[in-house]
Amino acid sequence: MDLAQLTRDLDALAASTRAGVAAAADVAALDALELEILGKKGRLTEILRGIGSLPVEERPKVGAVANVVRGSIETAFAERRTALSGRELEARLLAERVDVTTPGRPVRRGALHPSIQAMAEIAEIFGRFGFVVQETPEIEDDLTNFQLLNIPPDHPARDLWDTLYLDVPGRLLRTHTSPGQIRVMQSTKPPIRVLLPGRCFRYEAIDASHGSEFFQVEGLMVDEGTTLGDMRGLLDEFAHAMFGAGKRTRFRPGYYPFTEPSVAFDVECLVCGGVGCPACGRTGWMTILGAGMVHPVVLRNCGLDPERYQGFAFGMGPERISMLKHRINDLRLFLEDDLRFLEQFR
Ligand code: PHE
């Protein structure tokens, strides 16, 4: 091995490397070639191993040539790498380009369920008269759902509420929100003005006007000197706010074991205005809730003296209110989660 041979070998390596660099199609190919030439076991190292066989005074000269060759090879790699990665980036940008002028996908917006909307509206109206919303349990005991409401175990009035019993003795799913009255009167000193919305359950054959699961909103007011007239005035205000100012209303005698007297509260038919049509069964009236003065027995059951305190209570179905207001003819629509129905209530 002599100096001239080594120099030639180095020049040849430089030339073939430059050709290889120019031919590399992508960064990965370039990396592979770089390892092959400049790597620890690469061809440049291999050639330089020959230096050892040269006379000592010639070695620095080969060193100088080798450095120049290495520098030029490194430069060639660096320049090609910049060019290739630039091209790759450009290609990627082109492929991944977002067309900002394409129309967007609509965001599907949710809305409150019509039952919830109706309850919110009811709460808002009674809220103006000082009624506050309170929640009471869905799982009740026989005592609170019936007995303290003046419905003893064998009372025929139990037939009004087809009850779903739990397999825990004495426990049931509340059939109405009225047991909430008991809980409030047991725990709160009058004056009381509460609204008790919540889910109720009955063992019912399901049809257009009956469901086994539905909502009720209970109202209760207890104070000294509370009268049936107060209740009538309040319910009139409610009917007018909910269904329109000037709508005629009426009390009809009703029956509930926990109120005395008991009434049904009607509003003039919203379809015919009171003339009589199929929607109101030709009566001209539509019943919107049941109500009455809290029975003295019930007051006493909750530790309140009926000589001092009187109260009234009412209970309504928000679905029924919503059906009357929006002329919906089937209660099942409220339970079916059909978006074609639900999306109409935004
Ligand atoms: N709880 C009664 C029902 O389920 C409604 C009602 C409530 C009646 C309050 C009078 C007073 O039908």
Side-chain angles (χ1 to χ4, degrees):
M1 184 64 72
D2 60 24
L3 175 59
Q5 180 62 44
L6 258 172
T7 311
R8 260 192 321 270
D9 286 353
L10 284 171
D11 283 345
L13 181 66
S16 75
T17 302
R18 261 191 291 276
V21 164
D26 53 32
V27 175
L30 195 66
D31 286 343
L33 184 61
E34 189 171 32
L35 192 69
E36 187 191 321
I37 308 294
L38 297 176
K40 236 185 214 151
K41 291 177 184 157
R43 300 215 339 249
L44 182 62
T45 318
E46 202 180 297
I47 294 171
L48 293 180
R49 226 177 266 138
I51 291 180
S53 63
L54 288 181
V56 177
E57 67 279 9
E58 288 190 346
R59 289 180 194 171
K61 292 181 192 160
V62 187
V65 176
N67 278 338
V68 172
V69 168
R70 175 187 288 277
S72 81
I73 289 176
E74 282 174 352
T75 309
F77 274 111
E79 282 173 358
R80 182 71 180 150
R81 178 166 286 110
T82 309
L84 282 176
S85 55
R87 209 177 297 163
E88 279 171 22
L89 179 65
E90 211 170 292
R92 239 181 61 207
L93 287 177
L94 234 100
E96 295 173 5
R97 183 169 56 184
V98 173
D99 181 358
V100 294
T101 64
T102 352
R105 290 191 202 98
V107 176
R108 284 171 67 94
R109 207 162 42 86
L112 291 178
H113 190 279
S115 300
I116 305 291
Q117 278 185 41
M119 283 193 282
E121 203 175 336
I122 293 164
E124 193 277 318
I125 294 169
F126 284 101
R128 300 178 206 169
F129 298 94
F131 283 73
V132 295
V133 170
Q134 199 170 317
E135 276 191 71
T136 50
E138 290 176 0
I139 294 178
E140 266 299 358
D141 45 56
D142 193 274
L143 197 67
T144 317
N145 194 81
F146 291 123
Q147 296 173 46
L148 295 176
L149 284 166
N150 201 26
I151 313 166
D154 297 316
H155 198 285
R158 287 213 178 197
D159 292 348
L160 291 174
W161 297 278
D162 292 305
T163 309
L164 288 160
Y165 291 91
L166 299 184
D167 53 10
V168 181
R171 297 280 165 157
L172 46 81
L173 294 176
R174 67 174 170 196
T175 54
H176 51 174
T177 42
S178 298
Q181 289 185 40
I182 302 293
R183 293 189 176 271
V184 170
M185 285 188 279
Q186 282 172 339
S187 61
T188 317
K189 228 174 94 48
I192 292 169
R193 286 186 203 194
V194 285
L195 217 56
L196 312 171
R199 208 180 281 277
C200 302
F201 310 85
R202 283 182 203 175
Y203 183 68
E204 294 260 13
I206 296 168
D207 65 22
S209 55
H210 296 84
S212 58
E213 211 184 311
F214 53 93
F215 286 100
Q216 276 194 346
V217 179
E218 190 91 5
L220 173 70
M221 170 157 177
V222 180
D223 204 347
E224 292 176 23
T226 309
T227 69
L228 190 68
D230 295 333
M231 179 169 84
R232 178 71 199 261
L234 177 69
L235 293 180
D236 269 355
E237 292 294 336
F238 168 69
H240 294 155
M242 184 58 92
F243 299 111
K247 290 271 180 289
R248 286 174 302 133
T249 64
R250 72 172 183 185
F251 274 174
R252 251 181 329 116
Y255 172 72
Y256 300 100
F258 37 90
T259 46
E260 180 59 36
S262 302
V263 298
F265 183 61
D266 297 349
V267 66
E268 68 179 47
C269 175
L270 301 164
V271 178
C272 64
V275 188
C277 69
C280 55
R282 315 212 172 275
T283 62
W285 297 96
M286 289 175 155
T287 302
I288 59 173
L289 55 82
M293 299 304 290
V294 179
H295 199 294
V297 167
V298 174
L299 289 169
R300 229 175 274 124
N301 286 343
C302 298
L304 296 173
D305 175 7
E307 295 301 322
R308 178 166 175 202
Y309 295 112
Q310 301 76 39
F312 58 77
F314 50 88
M316 68 186 96
E319 283 92 2
R320 177 164 175 77
I321 302 284
S322 182
M323 286 169 80
L324 293 176
K325 202 173 154 121
H326 301 294
R327 313 254 166 98
I328 299 161
N329 56 16
D330 198 321
L331 180 72
R332 287 168 289 199
L333 289 165
F334 288 83
L335 296 168
E336 281 170 354
D337 292 341
D338 187 333
L339 288 178
R340 290 168 301 180
F341 171 68
L342 296 176
E343 277 177 344
Q344 297 175 47
F345 298 84
R346 290 229 181 259

